[in-house]
Amino acid sequence: MHNTHKKLPGCRGVTLIELLVAMSVLTVLLAVGVPSFSQFTANTRLNSYANTMFSHLALARSEAIKRNTRVVICKSPDGSTCANLGDWSQGWIVFADLDNSGSINGGEQIITATPALSTGFSFCGNSHVSSYISYDALGMTKRTSGAFQAGTIKLCSAAPAGNGRSIILSGSGRSRITQITGCSCPNLDASE
């Protein structure tokens, strides 16, 4: 009789124990890797949003000096009008404020617009920068009343909780970004 159970060359199976060990190692790697990737993604978005606002502050300042007129950044949910309610996460516009009102009116040119941030991020300013930031022709931040304008805008992420960035605006018009922990943004529903 011939042996009907011949081994085929190159074919080898795995045992149940080997399969369970491989699955266990994969599970541990995923348990460690997925939260780290989520945190990496949130931090990347935090940096991106903070850098976008920072660059728009620099743009508004340089445009105010170049145009020799007031240039304003205001919250804008639609990219064409200023909003008094909500926070900066709804988006913002940069425009030449020819009538010194702090809001866009007919004939005023929009320089750039930024859409709303992704869900899970809040972007709020303290009372001096809660609705708008205005630069005069000298590049200094000034409120529409003429008073100097300085403040802090906080960008917070829901995940990982408490991480954020802070954009600090000085009365001279310069701004800087710092990393913060314990970040929280209250809901703003009143104008300044």
Side-chain angles (χ1 to χ4, degrees):
M1 287 206 131
H2 292 12
N3 187 359
T4 59
H5 299 296
K6 290 184 179 179
K7 278 190 166 181
L8 295 176
C11 289
R12 182 177 181 271
V14 294
T15 66
L16 180 60
I17 293 179
E18 291 172 330
L19 183 62
L20 290 174
V21 168
M23 295 295 287
S24 297
V25 169
L26 180 63
T27 302
V28 169
L29 289 175
L30 286 175
V32 171
V34 170
S36 297
F37 184 73
S38 297
Q39 185 173 3
F40 172 77
T41 302
N43 282 331
T44 301
R45 283 192 179 167
L46 279 170
N47 289 332
S48 175
Y49 293 145
N51 288 333
T52 298
M53 175 58 93
F54 182 80
S55 67
H56 285 170
L57 290 170
L59 172 68
R61 186 175 191 224
S62 68
E63 286 291 320
I65 294 168
K66 180 177 90 174
R67 295 169 185 245
N68 197 29
T69 190
R70 184 175 297 274
V71 173
V72 171
I73 300 175
C74 70
K75 303 178 298 190
S76 178
D78 60 8
S80 61
T81 60
C82 293
N84 289 326
L85 302 176
D87 68 9
W88 289 91
S89 64
Q90 63 189 306
W92 58 85
I93 56 175
V94 177
F95 66 94
D97 189 16
L98 303 176
D99 63 357
N100 193 31
S101 65
S103 63
I104 193 162
N105 299 311
E108 295 178 330
Q109 178 189 9
I110 295 176
I111 298 167
T112 190
T114 301
L117 306 184
S118 299
T119 305
F121 292 90
S122 57
F123 210 170
C124 60
N126 64 7
S127 64
H128 298 292
V129 293
S130 64
S131 293
Y132 71 92
I133 300 167
S134 177
Y135 289 90
D136 67 8
L138 298 174
M140 310 235 344
T141 49
K142 299 267 179 141
R143 299 175 68 74
T144 55
S145 65
F148 87 95
Q149 185 179 30
T152 301
I153 303 173
K154 291 191 300 184
L155 171 61
C156 302
S157 171
N163 285 344
R165 304 292 181 269
S166 181
I167 301 173
I168 302 166
L169 181 67
S170 71
S172 68
R174 294 183 180 245
S175 55
R176 62 187 168 94
I177 300 173
T178 60
Q179 187 170 341
I180 56 176
T181 56
C183 187
S184 66
C185 259
N187 289 335
L188 302 173
D189 40 32
S191 68
E192 57 178 286

